[in-house]
Amino acid sequence: MTVSPSLTTLSDAVRDAADRRARRAQLDAQLRVAEQLVATRRDELRPLEQAQAAEEADVRRLERLSPARLWATIRGDVEERVAVEQAEADNAARATVAARARLDDATASATRVRAERDGLGDVEGAYAGALDAYEAGLADAGGAPATELAHVAENLGRVAAEQKEIDEAAIALRQATVALDHAVDRLESAGGWATYDTFFGGGMVADLVKHSRVDEATRAFVAVNRALERLSVELADLDLPAVRGAEISQGLAVFDVLFDNIFSDWMVQSRIAEARDRAYRLRSLLAGLAAELDDRAARAAGVMAALTARREEILTAG
């Protein structure tokens, strides 16, 4: 027969997991500082190595036949110049060695911190598992904590479902917005060619290009309407009828037949202008909807954080 662990054992496991989680946070902070120090020490070493290389090059130029040595020979101070350059090279070498030692110390310190941090393993997963086990133990034991935990769990599930619905609506909204931006771009191009054809006598080529752009805009707005239909389905899950009604779906159905039966250049120009106005109103509407979804997402995240904190508070009390 399997014996369930006692509440004391489960509570101790939560505290141990919490301690390891807190230690991980401390080590994360220490590692950030240690890695920054390594970067600083490496930056300090680089110019010192360059300076040492330059000083050693000066010594070599004086030691072998070179313009520098010839000039020093003429002046009669070869040995003195070599001694000076060698002293400067030695000083540069000592500075480099010291800087390299500081870098090695910083690197070793960062390595130790990283090893301890990594050795803790998945502290978040262990902590979540300990909380889950303790919650299950409290539920089996019954009482006030179990009742409140059940209520918190129910609300967590509800908010998680709402967040999922908001995310799905936001994705559908982004798709609709991208489709609308493309359609507006095609419409603007059609409008430009229509203006040219109407007022500047564009001729047959301009007329063909204009009708091609009109066809592209028509197809683009059909895609917009399809995206809006998908968006409306997602908005229904969030009970948002004010932004799910005629303004989004029915009011834009005209785009599906916007450019049918074009009889004159003026009619094309007029219909493009009307379509542009509707598109700009829709763009404003979608922007407002995006703000509404952002607000609801922020509120849901706040509720989720509060419920999670309360659950943790119950499970770590005592």
Side-chain angles (χ1 to χ4, degrees):
M1 181 179 66
T2 302
V3 179
S4 299
S6 68
L7 289 180
T8 300
T9 301
L10 293 172
S11 177
D12 289 343
V14 168
R15 289 189 177 87
D16 180 65
D19 289 343
R20 293 170 67 84
R21 185 168 174 252
R23 181 57 179 161
R24 170 62 182 256
Q26 293 172 347
L27 291 171
D28 282 340
Q30 291 177 19
L31 185 58
R32 285 193 294 271
V33 174
E35 288 178 338
Q36 181 58 50
L37 181 59
V38 169
T40 299
R41 294 296 185 238
R42 187 174 289 115
D43 290 341
E44 292 172 351
L45 176 61
R46 190 174 298 110
L48 292 174
E49 289 178 329
Q50 293 171 349
Q52 179 186 355
E55 294 295 347
E56 291 174 347
D58 289 342
V59 173
R60 288 193 298 272
R61 280 196 297 272
L62 283 172
E63 289 178 338
R64 66 174 185 268
L65 185 61
S66 66
R69 183 177 178 85
L70 290 174
W71 179 243
T73 301
I74 293 172
R75 291 186 311 183
D77 59 354
V78 174
E79 298 302 326
E80 180 182 349
R81 289 292 307 280
V82 170
V84 170
E85 294 295 345
Q86 186 61 60
E88 292 177 348
D90 291 343
N91 287 335
R94 284 191 291 272
T96 299
V97 169
R100 190 173 289 116
R102 291 193 296 271
L103 173 59
D104 290 343
D105 288 343
T107 302
S109 177
T111 299
R112 286 193 298 271
V113 174
R114 187 181 298 106
E116 183 181 354
R117 183 202 64 176
D118 294 345
L120 292 174
D122 182 13
V123 295
E124 294 298 333
Y127 184 63
L131 289 179
D132 290 343
Y134 189 39
E135 184 177 22
L138 286 175
D140 290 340
T147 300
E148 185 174 2
L149 281 171
H151 179 68
V152 169
E154 179 183 354
N155 285 324
L156 282 171
R158 176 184 56 79
V159 177
E162 181 183 3
Q163 287 179 317
K164 182 175 183 293
E165 291 166 356
I166 292 172
D167 289 343
E168 290 172 348
I171 292 172
L173 175 59
R174 285 194 293 272
Q175 292 172 343
T177 301
V178 169
L180 178 61
D181 288 343
H182 174 68
V184 169
D185 178 72
R186 296 296 83 201
L187 187 64
E188 295 287 3
S189 178
W193 282 99
T195 299
Y196 176 69
D197 192 35
T198 301
F199 295 103
F200 300 99
M204 183 181 66
V205 173
D207 196 52
L208 290 174
V209 174
K210 176 189 68 176
H211 282 285
S212 174
R213 296 295 186 270
V214 165
D215 289 341
E216 291 174 1
T218 302
R219 290 193 296 272
F221 276 108
V222 170
V224 170
N225 280 342
R226 301 296 84 80
L228 291 173
E229 290 169 0
R230 292 189 292 272
L231 174 60
S232 295
V233 172
E234 301 300 340
L235 293 178
D237 294 336
L238 293 171
D239 193 23
L240 289 172
V243 293
R244 183 175 57 86
E247 298 92 339
I248 289 182
S249 56
Q250 298 172 9
L252 295 172
V254 67
F255 286 130
D256 284 348
V257 293
L258 180 62
F259 297 113
D260 285 348
N261 302 315
I262 298 176
F263 300 108
S264 69
D265 292 341
W266 279 103
M267 181 175 291
V268 173
Q269 188 77 14
S270 175
R271 290 191 175 184
I272 288 176
E274 292 173 2
R276 185 186 295 114
D277 289 342
R278 292 192 184 95
Y280 288 162
R281 288 196 295 271
L282 174 60
R283 180 178 278 171
S284 177
L285 179 64
L286 294 184
L289 176 58
E292 168 68 15
L293 290 178
D294 286 344
D295 184 60
R296 292 187 68 154
R299 291 200 303 271
V303 174
M304 179 67 78
L307 289 169
T308 302
R310 180 54 186 157
R311 175 180 180 264
E312 186 173 348
E313 180 182 355
I314 296 170
L315 294 173
T316 56

